[in-house]
Amino acid sequence: MAITRLKTSKPETERAEDDARVRATVEATLADIEARGDAAVRDLSQKFDNYAPESFRLTGSEIEAAMQKVSTRDIEDIRFAQDQIRRFAGAQRASMTDIEVETLPGVILGHRNIPVQSVGCYVPGGKFPMVASAHMSVLTASVAGVPRIIASAPPVAGAPHPAIVAAMHLGGAHEIYVMGGIQAVGAMAIGTETIEPVHMLVGPGNAFVAEAKRQLFGRVGIDLFAGPTETMVIADDTVDAELCATDLLGQAEHGYNSPACLITNSRSLAEGTLAEIERLLAILPTAETARTSWQDYGDVILCDTHDEMLAVANDMAYEHVQVMTDRDNWYLEHMHSYGALFLGPRTNVANGDKVIGTNHTLPTRKAGRYTGGLWVGKFLKTHSYQKVTTDEAAAMVGEYGSRLCMLEGFVGHAEQCNIRVRRYGGRNVPYGAAAEPLDAAE
């Protein structure tokens, strides 16, 4: 067994130092928002976005004015993408059914899937305004039936980004704000004088947004830790270096700290991809960003076998995993830790990011080991209930409950059961004692 790293990214120690700086900045910023509310949000927006309007919430007429700036072609494309996402989210929602079952005569158990009552959807802006993130969060929450959906994105060039506003509105947002970064997620979660706090935060973002969500978790729910994008290409010699390099750089351009990794069992493909990346970086318009990401966060890992490739991929648990091999379905069956799989050379991560219908808000930084990505089910809470409909069932279950409570030393718990054995079973159970089996009591 041999695993060779032909290119390695930043060591974990350097990444940890970066994380510590982000953590301290976010903690101070959230404390400022909690203390000063709208004033803090305004100061932060002025500092980072040079934007301080009278109100950060858009009015109906402002939404309409922004949408008028979007071309008919772009509106049609947004609608097409939202149709695909709505169709898949609707199918997912239909798979989640309420249940009710009689587990014993007179004992009814069930659960209901209830929407979260308010959600704050963050849509990244900055270098690349992420129009598609509005579909993925706002629209999916709408399919789930969330009654209050608020959405926020940073200004672009000192104004609301028209296409983002259009996507939010068409997706079903009830309130649209123009705020970015920590101040946006902080205001939505903590609340200010003019913004009612939400119960849940969703959406991707940069390292600061991801850390803000982490620190706010508990005060509000979150979808997952969706930080800087990650992409992995698992490939063998059934594909060529140009395809692999294109798919790696397509995600590396997201930001200066976007990990990209090639795992292969072909040395010629690995070396060819390294050379092809350099060729493409010479002509890619976003090369400044992509080159920095590739230099600091790029990996090329050469394995002997597909089993080794699988083991490395599951251990790294990357967000996007593009599989282009002679056994793509084998990877589908055996991969267990990732954000989303893109199987075969005909599809790609950009399809999933923008249009195909699956959600692009996905777990990063190994969170794929314990959670999947954002989907309609994230906006639903499954709540159980129980009913006991006969005296006989109340007495019978109460008897078992009494003894099991006393086994743990919970006398008060036992009395909740005992009083029902007495009232509905007509049996004399001494106070603070375990109910005897019915045949022994007789």
Side-chain angles (χ1 to χ4, degrees), residues 43 47 81 95 101 136 146 158 174 188 235 249 260 325 336 350 398 442:
D43 288 348
K47 176 181 178 181
S95 76
V101 59
M136 305 298 176
V146 176
H174 303 109
M188 290 191 290
L249 292 180
T325 68
H336 54 68
E442 294 173 346

Side-chain angles (χ1 to χ4, degrees), residues 373-420:
L374 183 61
W375 70 296
V376 71
K378 289 279 188 179
F379 297 103
L380 296 165
K381 306 169 295 161
T382 302
H383 294 277
S384 63
Y385 63 88
Q386 59 173 268
K387 294 183 284 187
V388 178
T389 60
T390 67
D391 293 350
E392 293 79 8
M396 184 269 289
V397 175
E399 174 197 308
Y400 281 94
S402 170
R403 293 196 298 272
L404 289 168
C405 291
M406 291 300 291
L407 177 65
E408 296 178 353
F410 284 116
V411 179
H413 284 59
E415 276 304 306
Q416 290 180 267
C417 300
N418 287 343
I419 194 171
R420 286 159 176 85

Side-chain angles (χ1 to χ4, degrees), residues 122-147:
Y122 184 70
V123 176
K127 183 182 284 288
F128 301 108
M130 297 281 286
V131 177
S133 287
H135 319 326
M136 305 298 176
S137 56
V138 174
L139 176 58
T140 310
S142 181
V143 171
V146 176

Side-chain angles (χ1 to χ4, degrees), residues 40-54 56 126 153-160 178-181 183:
V41 172
R42 187 170 300 281
D43 288 348
L44 289 162
S45 182
Q46 181 67 57
K47 176 181 178 181
F48 292 108
D49 294 319
N50 194 29
Y51 183 74
E54 183 176 335
F56 288 97
V156 176
V178 185
M179 302 181 296
Q183 61 269 28

